[in-house]
mmCIF file of all heavy atoms in Angstrom:
data_model
loop_
_atom_site.group_PDB
_atom_site.id
_atom_site.type_symbol
_atom_site.label_atom_id
_atom_site.label_comp_id
_atom_site.label_asym_id
_atom_site.label_seq_id
_atom_site.Cartn_x
_atom_site.Cartn_y
_atom_site.Cartn_z
ATOM 1 N N GLN U 185 96.260 88.032 88.810
ATOM 2 C CA GLN U 185 96.176 87.263 87.559
ATOM 3 C C GLN U 185 97.317 86.255 87.491
ATOM 4 O O GLN U 185 98.407 86.528 87.980
ATOM 5 C CB GLN U 185 96.289 88.217 86.354
ATOM 6 C CG GLN U 185 95.169 89.244 86.309
ATOM 7 C CD GLN U 185 95.453 90.408 85.362
ATOM 8 O OE1 GLN U 185 96.583 90.603 84.928
ATOM 9 N NE2 GLN U 185 94.430 91.190 85.066
ATOM 10 N N GLN U 186 97.049 85.120 86.866
ATOM 11 C CA GLN U 186 98.126 84.132 86.705
ATOM 12 C C GLN U 186 98.967 84.494 85.481
ATOM 13 O O GLN U 186 98.436 84.964 84.473
ATOM 14 C CB GLN U 186 97.553 82.728 86.546
ATOM 15 C CG GLN U 186 98.655 81.674 86.599
ATOM 16 C CD GLN U 186 98.156 80.281 86.960
ATOM 17 O OE1 GLN U 186 96.953 80.021 86.911
ATOM 18 N NE2 GLN U 186 99.067 79.400 87.317
ATOM 19 N N LEU U 187 100.261 84.295 85.601
ATOM 20 C CA LEU U 187 101.171 84.545 84.480
ATOM 21 C C LEU U 187 101.720 83.212 84.006
ATOM 22 O O LEU U 187 102.051 82.344 84.823
ATOM 23 C CB LEU U 187 102.356 85.396 84.936
ATOM 24 C CG LEU U 187 102.152 86.887 85.170
ATOM 25 C CD1 LEU U 187 103.452 87.482 85.710
ATOM 26 C CD2 LEU U 187 101.752 87.584 83.874
ATOM 27 N N ASN U 188 101.828 83.054 82.699
ATOM 28 C CA ASN U 188 102.426 81.824 82.155
ATOM 29 C C ASN U 188 103.530 82.165 81.177
ATOM 30 O O ASN U 188 103.404 81.936 79.983
ATOM 31 C CB ASN U 188 101.348 80.983 81.463
ATOM 32 C CG ASN U 188 100.333 80.468 82.467
ATOM 33 O OD1 ASN U 188 100.670 79.694 83.357
ATOM 34 N ND2 ASN U 188 99.100 80.930 82.340
ATOM 35 N N PRO U 189 104.635 82.725 81.662
ATOM 36 C CA PRO U 189 105.706 83.107 80.741
ATOM 37 C C PRO U 189 106.436 81.870 80.218
ATOM 38 O O PRO U 189 106.349 80.800 80.819
ATOM 39 C CB PRO U 189 106.628 83.953 81.615
ATOM 40 C CG PRO U 189 106.413 83.463 83.006
ATOM 41 C CD PRO U 189 104.992 82.963 83.068
ATOM 42 N N ASP U 190 107.158 82.044 79.098
ATOM 43 C CA ASP U 190 107.897 80.896 78.542
ATOM 44 C C ASP U 190 109.319 80.857 79.108
ATOM 45 O O ASP U 190 110.242 80.404 78.454
ATOM 46 C CB ASP U 190 107.918 80.990 77.006
ATOM 47 C CG ASP U 190 108.598 82.260 76.517
ATOM 48 O OD1 ASP U 190 109.018 83.088 77.381
ATOM 49 O OD2 ASP U 190 108.720 82.443 75.296
ATOM 50 N N TRP U 191 109.507 81.318 80.329
ATOM 51 C CA TRP U 191 110.845 81.373 80.918
ATOM 52 C C TRP U 191 111.251 79.996 81.457
ATOM 53 O O TRP U 191 110.440 79.324 82.100
ATOM 54 C CB TRP U 191 110.887 82.344 82.097
ATOM 55 C CG TRP U 191 110.406 83.726 81.812
ATOM 56 C CD1 TRP U 191 110.340 84.338 80.591
ATOM 57 C CD2 TRP U 191 109.921 84.666 82.775
ATOM 58 N NE1 TRP U 191 109.853 85.607 80.742
ATOM 59 C CE2 TRP U 191 109.589 85.844 82.069
ATOM 60 C CE3 TRP U 191 109.754 84.647 84.170
ATOM 61 C CZ2 TRP U 191 109.093 86.974 82.698
ATOM 62 C CZ3 TRP U 191 109.262 85.776 84.796
ATOM 63 C CH2 TRP U 191 108.937 86.931 84.074
ATOM 64 N N PRO U 192 112.528 79.621 81.238
ATOM 65 C CA PRO U 192 113.003 78.347 81.796
ATOM 66 C C PRO U 192 112.809 78.326 83.327
ATOM 67 O O PRO U 192 113.135 79.303 83.987
ATOM 68 C CB PRO U 192 114.500 78.338 81.453
ATOM 69 C CG PRO U 192 114.662 79.321 80.348
ATOM 70 C CD PRO U 192 113.555 80.326 80.470
ATOM 71 N N GLY U 193 112.251 77.224 83.816
ATOM 72 C CA GLY U 193 112.054 77.099 85.264
ATOM 73 C C GLY U 193 110.685 77.547 85.716
ATOM 74 O O GLY U 193 110.241 77.192 86.811
ATOM 75 N N SER U 194 109.979 78.330 84.895
ATOM 76 C CA SER U 194 108.682 78.853 85.355
ATOM 77 C C SER U 194 107.635 77.740 85.407
ATOM 78 O O SER U 194 106.639 77.866 86.119
ATOM 79 C CB SER U 194 108.209 80.012 84.481
ATOM 80 O OG SER U 194 107.919 79.570 83.187
ATOM 81 N N GLU U 195 107.876 76.645 84.682
ATOM 82 C CA GLU U 195 106.924 75.525 84.714
ATOM 83 C C GLU U 195 106.962 74.803 86.080
ATOM 84 O O GLU U 195 106.050 74.056 86.418
ATOM 85 C CB GLU U 195 107.200 74.543 83.558
ATOM 86 C CG GLU U 195 108.472 73.703 83.665
ATOM 87 C CD GLU U 195 109.774 74.479 83.437
ATOM 88 O OE1 GLU U 195 109.719 75.646 83.003
ATOM 89 O OE2 GLU U 195 110.849 73.907 83.706
ATOM 90 N N GLN U 196 107.995 75.085 86.874
ATOM 91 C CA GLN U 196 108.134 74.456 88.193
ATOM 92 C C GLN U 196 107.284 75.114 89.271
ATOM 93 O O GLN U 196 107.156 74.612 90.377
ATOM 94 C CB GLN U 196 109.606 74.548 88.662
ATOM 95 C CG GLN U 196 110.607 73.866 87.757
ATOM 96 C CD GLN U 196 110.535 72.357 87.893
ATOM 97 O OE1 GLN U 196 110.207 71.834 88.964
ATOM 98 N NE2 GLN U 196 110.819 71.647 86.814
ATOM 99 N N VAL U 197 106.799 76.338 88.977
ATOM 100 C CA VAL U 197 106.104 77.112 90.004
ATOM 101 C C VAL U 197 104.782 77.646 89.455
ATOM 102 O O VAL U 197 104.501 77.509 88.267
ATOM 103 C CB VAL U 197 106.967 78.321 90.475
ATOM 104 C CG1 VAL U 197 108.294 77.855 91.028
ATOM 105 C CG2 VAL U 197 107.142 79.335 89.354
ATOM 106 N N GLU U 198 103.989 78.242 90.343
ATOM 107 C CA GLU U 198 102.811 78.982 89.886
ATOM 108 C C GLU U 198 103.076 80.455 90.138
ATOM 109 O O GLU U 198 103.381 80.847 91.267
ATOM 110 C CB GLU U 198 101.571 78.539 90.658
ATOM 111 C CG GLU U 198 101.027 77.208 90.207
ATOM 112 C CD GLU U 198 99.786 76.836 91.006
ATOM 113 O OE1 GLU U 198 98.825 77.626 91.010
ATOM 114 O OE2 GLU U 198 99.824 75.785 91.663
ATOM 115 N N LEU U 199 102.977 81.232 89.067
ATOM 116 C CA LEU U 199 103.350 82.638 89.142
ATOM 117 C C LEU U 199 102.116 83.524 88.956
ATOM 118 O O LEU U 199 101.342 83.322 88.006
ATOM 119 C CB LEU U 199 104.383 82.913 88.040
ATOM 120 C CG LEU U 199 105.066 84.266 88.017
ATOM 121 C CD1 LEU U 199 105.788 84.539 89.327
ATOM 122 C CD2 LEU U 199 106.076 84.309 86.855
ATOM 123 N N TYR U 200 101.944 84.459 89.875
ATOM 124 C CA TYR U 200 100.805 85.387 89.811
ATOM 125 C C TYR U 200 101.303 86.821 89.914
ATOM 126 O O TYR U 200 102.392 87.077 90.419
ATOM 127 C CB TYR U 200 99.819 85.119 90.950
ATOM 128 C CG TYR U 200 99.152 83.773 90.871
ATOM 129 C CD1 TYR U 200 99.795 82.628 91.352
ATOM 130 C CD2 TYR U 200 97.883 83.635 90.305
ATOM 131 C CE1 TYR U 200 99.197 81.390 91.272
ATOM 132 C CE2 TYR U 200 97.268 82.397 90.228
ATOM 133 C CZ TYR U 200 97.932 81.272 90.717
ATOM 134 O OH TYR U 200 97.332 80.048 90.635
ATOM 135 N N ILE U 201 100.457 87.727 89.437
ATOM 136 C CA ILE U 201 100.792 89.152 89.516
ATOM 137 C C ILE U 201 99.616 89.902 90.133
ATOM 138 O O ILE U 201 98.464 89.637 89.778
ATOM 139 C CB ILE U 201 101.137 89.699 88.106
ATOM 140 C CG1 ILE U 201 101.449 91.201 88.142
ATOM 141 C CG2 ILE U 201 100.011 89.440 87.097
ATOM 142 C CD1 ILE U 201 102.006 91.724 86.802
ATOM 143 N N LYS U 202 99.903 90.772 91.078
ATOM 144 C CA LYS U 202 98.841 91.627 91.634
ATOM 145 C C LYS U 202 98.934 92.976 90.947
ATOM 146 O O LYS U 202 99.955 93.652 91.003
ATOM 147 C CB LYS U 202 98.962 91.752 93.155
ATOM 148 C CG LYS U 202 97.793 92.546 93.749
ATOM 149 C CD LYS U 202 97.502 92.117 95.179
ATOM 150 C CE LYS U 202 96.445 92.976 95.872
ATOM 151 N NZ LYS U 202 95.062 92.798 95.387
ATOM 152 N N ARG U 203 97.821 93.367 90.320
ATOM 153 C CA ARG U 203 97.833 94.501 89.390
ATOM 154 C C ARG U 203 97.580 95.842 90.086
ATOM 155 O O ARG U 203 96.636 96.553 89.745
ATOM 156 C CB ARG U 203 96.806 94.249 88.277
ATOM 157 C CG ARG U 203 97.046 92.981 87.449
ATOM 158 C CD ARG U 203 98.301 93.071 86.587
ATOM 159 N NE ARG U 203 98.367 94.259 85.747
ATOM 160 C CZ ARG U 203 97.798 94.371 84.545
ATOM 161 N NH1 ARG U 203 97.134 93.369 84.021
ATOM 162 N NH2 ARG U 203 97.908 95.488 83.847
#
Side-chain angles (χ1 to χ4, degrees):
Q185 299 165 346
Q186 189 159 15
L187 284 176
N188 294 296
D190 60 358
W191 306 338
S194 67
E195 71 288 350
Q196 300 286 329
V197 301
E198 284 181 57
L199 188 58
Y200 295 82
I201 178 171
K202 185 152 174 71
R203 300 292 308 275

